[in-house]
Amino acid sequence: MMDFPCRTIGISHMAYQTWFAFFVAACVIAVSPGSGAVLSMSHGLNYGVRRTSATILGLEIALVVILLIAGAGVGSLLLASEAAFNTIKVLGAVYLIYLGFSQWRAPVTVQQDVDATQGASRAATVRGQAWWQRCMTGFLTNVTNPKGIVFMVAVLPQFIDNDRPLWLQLLVLAVTMVAVDLVVMHGYAFAASRLQRFFRNQRAMKAQNRFFGGVLMLVGAGLFFFKRSAH
């Protein structure tokens, strides 16, 4: 009679261990450099942390979409289909290259009649985007990344207990991953925003645009060589 409570406690303990393992994995994934991190740093430097929150919102919406796709099994179908996988890969690569090229050649205008304390904010306004544009940029950057889908399909099942409700588990995992990614992406944006005072003149801002634009194009080009697993 005493065995049942012990086993119940054991199941709860294992569920906590599973969640903690996923939390650690989510931290590693979020911190790892990728297109989302590059975009967060680029927008953090251009717009500051507060305005970059719209970009990060788009990244997180896409992250949830990818997690739900993987959890629902659609991700497995995408990986099983060579054509579907290659289509997503090419779309993601082309979009990142387009995004990087656009930033590389983005015009930079600095108002000479503003004082030093307003220079960075005025420059950000000149080359700014509406919040929904930043949000959409973040969304498209993550949702067209085949690496995210491959990771979710390969790793997510390891944290799913078939004896528990699937959608409740997906909700917990989604909240965990989004919370971690929100903190990390805002950290990247904050770190980059601290450098704004060094990018108040036209030459420095152009160099910054070309650096992040070049990195995004390199990440996009790298996706062409990304292959799905052999399974």
Side-chain angles (χ1 to χ4, degrees):
M1 297 295 294
M2 296 298 293
D3 185 50
F4 178 76
C6 292
R7 282 188 295 174
T8 302
I9 294 173
I11 290 174
S12 300
H13 180 64
M14 289 303 294
Y16 172 77
Q17 286 183 328
T18 301
W19 173 83
F20 185 75
F22 182 80
F23 172 75
V24 173
C27 290
V28 173
I29 299 161
V31 173
S32 301
S35 54
V38 174
L39 188 65
S40 296
M41 288 187 287
S42 173
H43 282 199
L45 188 55
N46 273 332
Y47 309 122
V49 178
R50 184 176 63 84
R51 297 181 69 197
T52 303
S53 293
T55 307
I56 297 173
L57 173 63
L59 291 172
E60 304 316 316
I61 293 174
L63 193 63
V64 172
V65 169
I66 292 174
L67 189 143
L68 293 179
I69 287 175
V74 179
S76 298
L77 296 177
L78 290 176
L79 292 187
S81 170
E82 183 87 25
F85 179 82
N86 286 335
T87 298
I88 292 178
K89 180 176 72 172
V90 171
L91 286 175
V94 169
Y95 178 72
L96 285 179
I97 292 173
Y98 163 77
L99 195 64
F101 182 70
S102 296
Q103 182 158 357
W104 177 282
R105 63 189 299 273
V108 174
T109 304
V110 180
Q111 299 293 337
Q112 300 298 328
D113 59 341
V114 295
D115 57 44
T117 60
Q118 295 178 334
S121 60
R122 177 67 61 86
T125 301
V126 170
R127 35 177 197 175
Q129 292 179 322
W131 73 268
W132 64 268
Q133 291 176 308
R134 297 194 300 276
C135 183
M136 184 59 67
T137 298
F139 176 79
L140 292 175
T141 296
N142 255 4
V143 84
T144 57
N145 186 356
K147 289 185 177 181
I149 297 176
V150 170
F151 171 82
M152 287 296 185
V153 173
V155 175
L156 195 63
Q158 301 178 37
F159 300 98
I160 297 295
D161 185 349
N162 292 327
D163 295 326
R164 295 173 180 266
L166 173 63
W167 293 107
L168 182 59
Q169 294 179 79
L170 288 177
L171 176 63
V172 172
L173 297 180
V175 170
T176 300
M177 176 157 275
V178 167
V180 169
D181 205 60
L182 274 172
V183 173
V184 173
M185 292 303 111
H186 275 94
Y188 277 128
F190 175 79
S193 71
R194 296 301 89 189
L195 300 175
Q196 275 187 336
R197 64 182 182 274
F198 299 113
F199 292 89
R200 288 177 178 165
N201 64 74
Q202 190 170 18
R203 178 179 297 179
M205 287 191 295
K206 183 175 292 185
Q208 175 257 313
N209 276 346
R210 290 186 172 179
F211 172 77
F212 283 109
V215 172
L216 285 171
M217 285 190 283
L218 285 175
V219 173
L223 288 184
F224 284 114
F225 302 97
F226 182 71
K227 299 184 180 298
R228 61 181 184 157
S229 62
H231 300 292

